[in-house]
Amino acid sequence: MKLQCDVEVVNRMLPTFGMKSRGKGTRAVLSIGKHLDKKSERSNVYLMICTAKDRAGSKYKLKDNIERFFTFFVDEGKATVRLKEPAVDVCLSKADVNSLKSFLSAARLADRGSDASSLPLSTLTPVRARDVEQPKKKLSIVSKKDYPLTSNFPYSLEQLRVSYCRLSRVDMRMLSLKALRKLDLSNNHITKLPATIGDLSCLSELILHHNHLEAFSEALCLSTLQQTLQRLDLSQNRLRYLPAQFCQLKELVDFKVDDNELVCLPFHIGRLSKLRFLSAAHNQLSVLPGDFRKLTLENLDLFGNPFVQPNPLDHSMRLTFPLSLQELTSRAVASFRLAHGPDVIPAHLCRDLEVAKLCDCKRFCISYYIKTAVNMNLHKVSNTVVLVDDMGGTDAPVQKYFCSLFCYSEFLDLFIQRGGR
C-alpha cells in the first residue's frame, strides 16, 4: 500500500523546548510493508515515509503503536496519524481522497495486529526522485516532437499549453485533468470541440486562436463553463455564428473573436453582465444586436467590419392583422415572465421565446415585428473604443424592434423632429 501526498512529521515534544514545527508539508511517498526488526529478528509491519531529501525513508512501527487517527477533514484529502513511539504526529495533506481512505484503513488493520496476509503490503524500498517531486502545475508544449504519445499528462496540471503541434482534435487525455484552470490549444488544426470540455469544472481560461473551428456548440454553453469560464479566445478561426445559448456563459470577462466570418453577434449578448473586454474585429458584422446597448465594457474593438450606414426609414416588416393567437400568447408569456420549458410547451416555442424582442414601449414581440437600425456611439457601452473604420468613426448600427405600426410611427416622428439623430 502506497500513498503520494504532502507530509509533515511533527514532534510533539517540540513545545517543551520552546520550539515550533515548520507548519508546511513536503511531497512524500508513504508505504506500508514488512520490515525485519534487527533486535527481535522478526518481521513487523512498518510505515515508511520517503521524501526528496530522504529517499531511503524513515520507518515507524505500526502494531499497537497508533494512539489516534484524526480524520475530520479526510474528504479534503487531509488526515493525521498520531504515533505513540516516537511521539510524533504524521500530518497528511493534498492526498487523493479515495487513496487516503484506503491507506488509513490499512494502517488501522496493521495497528490492530491483523494477519499480514490480509493487508495490502508494499515492498519497503527507496523511491525514485520523480516519485517525490512536487506536483507539476504548468506544462507548455510548443513542438510536435515534444508531444507525449505514450505517457499521460501530469494529473495535477492547472495550466496546459499545447501549440504548434498540428492537433486536429482535442486529446481526450486532457479532459481528465480535473484541476485544469487554463487550457491553451492555440495554433493547431482543431475543427471541432468535444462537449466534454464542459466537464473541466475548474476551467476559467480557454485559448483557441489560430485553429479551424467552424462552430462553438450549445452543449459547451450549457455546461459547467457557465460558472467558471472567464476568458475565451476564438480569434483566427472559421466561425460564422455563435449559438443563442452563448449568453449563458455569464462569468465571461474577456472575449476575443477577431478574424472570423461572424455575420452577427449573439442576440442576447447584453446578458453577459460581467463582460469587460470584447474584441470582434475583422468579421462580417453589418449591424449589432439591440441587446448590445446593455453592455458595460472597458475595451471594445470592432474595427474592420462592413457596418452599413443605418436609415431608420428603411425597415423590414413582419406583421399580420390581427396577430395570431400564438403570437399574443407568446408575448404574454414573455411580458409576465411566466415559467416555461419544453416539458410545458413545444420546444420550438421555447426557442422563439429565447429571442423575444423588446419594443420601445417595453412590450415584447416574438415572430411579428418591425425591424430597423439606428446609429449608436460605442462610447455609450465602453470606456475605450478602437476606431470602427479608417475614417475615425466610433459609431455603429444597432438593431431596433417595434411591436406595432403605432410604436414605429411614434419613433419616426421623434427621429424627424430631432433632425434625423
Side-chain angles (χ1 to χ4, degrees):
M1 171 62 68
K2 289 182 180 290
L3 176 69
Q4 281 191 323
C5 63
D6 282 11
V7 176
E8 183 186 13
V9 179
V10 180
N11 191 320
R12 297 199 298 276
M13 301 302 293
L14 288 180
T16 306
F17 303 104
M19 301 171 65
K20 291 183 179 181
S21 64
R22 195 162 62 98
K24 187 177 180 183
T26 302
R27 200 65 185 172
V29 174
L30 285 75
S31 307
I32 295 177
K34 278 188 174 183
H35 176 67
L36 181 63
D37 191 329
K38 293 181 180 179
K39 291 183 179 179
S40 63
E41 296 185 353
R42 294 176 60 185
S43 291
N44 288 307
V45 178
Y46 279 77
L47 167 66
M48 184 169 80
I49 302 175
C50 299
T51 63
K53 291 184 178 180
D54 181 17
R55 285 166 49 195
S58 301
K59 300 179 183 69
Y60 301 92
K61 185 180 176 182
L62 288 180
K63 185 178 179 182
D64 297 324
N65 194 36
I66 297 179
E67 183 176 317
R68 188 176 175 186
F69 289 94
F70 297 89
T71 58
F72 190 79
F73 296 104
V74 70
D75 288 326
E76 297 178 14
K78 302 175 184 178
T80 297
V81 180
R82 174 164 288 179
L83 300 179
K84 298 175 184 176
E85 184 63 37
V88 296
D89 289 347
V90 181
C91 305
L92 314 178
S93 60
K94 298 182 181 178
D96 176 77
V97 173
N98 292 327
S99 299
L100 177 59
K101 288 180 179 178
S102 298
F103 189 86
L104 294 174
S105 177
R108 281 192 180 94
L109 292 173
D111 175 52
R112 293 169 186 165
S114 299
D115 186 6
S117 61
S118 67
L119 297 174
L121 300 179
S122 302
T123 306
L124 301 183
T125 56
V127 297
R128 298 168 296 183
R130 66 183 184 186
D131 291 333
V132 287
E133 290 176 346
Q134 284 291 337
K136 200 163 191 176
K137 299 294 182 69
K138 297 181 181 180
L139 178 62
S140 181
I141 301 170
V142 292
S143 171
K144 192 173 183 180
K145 64 181 177 63
D146 296 327
Y147 191 79
L149 297 175
T150 57
S151 60
N152 287 326
F153 294 98
Y155 75 94
S156 55
L157 283 181
E158 293 182 3
Q159 298 185 30
L160 174 61
R161 180 191 179 196
V162 180
S163 298
Y164 303 102
C165 292
R166 300 181 185 177
L167 296 182
S168 59
R169 58 184 177 83
V170 178
D171 192 329
M172 299 306 285
R173 291 177 297 170
M174 300 175 186
L175 305 181
S176 64
L177 305 173
K178 298 305 181 184
L180 205 60
R181 298 181 180 277
K182 179 178 180 180
L183 178 59
D184 183 346
L185 298 175
S186 58
N187 295 284
N188 283 293
H189 299 162
I190 298 170
T191 58
K192 187 177 180 181
L193 298 175
T196 42
I197 283 183
D199 295 335
L200 296 173
S201 58
C202 295
L203 193 66
S204 62
E205 295 186 45
L206 182 57
I207 314 299
L208 295 162
H209 62 78
H210 289 87
N211 275 286
H212 300 164
L213 293 173
E214 296 179 354
F216 192 86
S217 72
E218 295 178 8
L220 283 174
C221 301
L222 300 175
S223 68
T224 56
L225 295 181
Q226 291 182 352
Q227 288 84 43
T228 62
L229 193 64
Q230 297 178 352
R231 183 184 176 206
L232 177 62
D233 191 344
L234 298 174
S235 302
Q236 296 281 351
N237 278 282
R238 301 172 181 175
L239 300 170
R240 291 187 58 81
Y241 77 98
L242 294 168
Q245 293 80 2
F246 185 86
C247 300
Q248 300 288 339
L249 301 173
K250 294 187 178 180
E251 296 299 314
L252 205 58
V253 175
D254 186 352
F255 178 43
K256 294 182 180 178
V257 67
D258 303 314
D259 295 286
N260 277 273
E261 302 167 16
L262 288 180
V263 294
C264 63
L265 291 175
F267 186 82
H268 280 306
I269 193 169
R271 292 180 180 176
L272 299 176
S273 59
K274 294 186 179 181
L275 191 65
R276 295 295 177 265
F277 303 92
L278 173 61
S279 188
H282 300 289
N283 279 278
Q284 298 301 313
L285 302 175
S286 58
V287 64
L288 300 174
D291 226 38
F292 199 87
R293 298 183 184 88
K294 297 179 182 178
L295 293 175
T296 52
L297 304 172
E298 292 292 331
N299 189 280
L300 173 62
D301 185 359
L302 296 173
F303 182 81
N305 281 287
F307 290 124
V308 295
Q309 183 63 31
N311 180 0
L313 295 174
D314 294 334
H315 63 272
S316 62
M317 183 182 296
R318 291 187 60 183
L319 284 177
T320 59
F321 303 97
L323 292 174
S324 69
L325 180 59
Q326 178 178 310
E327 176 71 11
L328 291 171
T329 306
S330 297
R331 288 186 178 192
V333 169
S335 297
F336 293 106
R337 299 182 181 180
L338 301 179
H340 61 275
D343 55 330
V344 179
I345 60 176
H348 72 277
L349 294 181
C350 292
R351 290 193 291 270
D352 290 344
L353 285 165
E354 181 63 28
V355 289
K357 295 90 178 165
L358 186 63
C359 177
D360 276 0
C361 69
K362 306 304 179 184
R363 295 190 181 96
F364 284 96
C365 43
I366 312 299
S367 300
Y368 297 97
Y369 50 80
I370 299 173
K371 180 174 72 172
T372 187
V374 296
N375 251 338
M376 181 183 76
N377 191 309
L378 297 177
H379 281 290
K380 290 183 178 180
V381 297
S382 179
N383 291 334
T384 304
V385 177
V386 175
L387 301 181
V388 172
D389 52 42
D390 292 325
M391 304 300 292
T394 57
D395 287 358
V398 179
Q399 289 175 335
K400 203 169 183 66
Y401 293 89
F402 302 94
C403 67
S404 64
L405 276 171
F406 177 79
C407 291
Y408 180 52
S409 299
E410 281 208 331
F411 162 75
L412 286 182
D413 288 345
L414 285 172
F415 178 76
I416 293 169
Q417 288 174 20
R418 294 170 181 169
R421 293 193 299 273

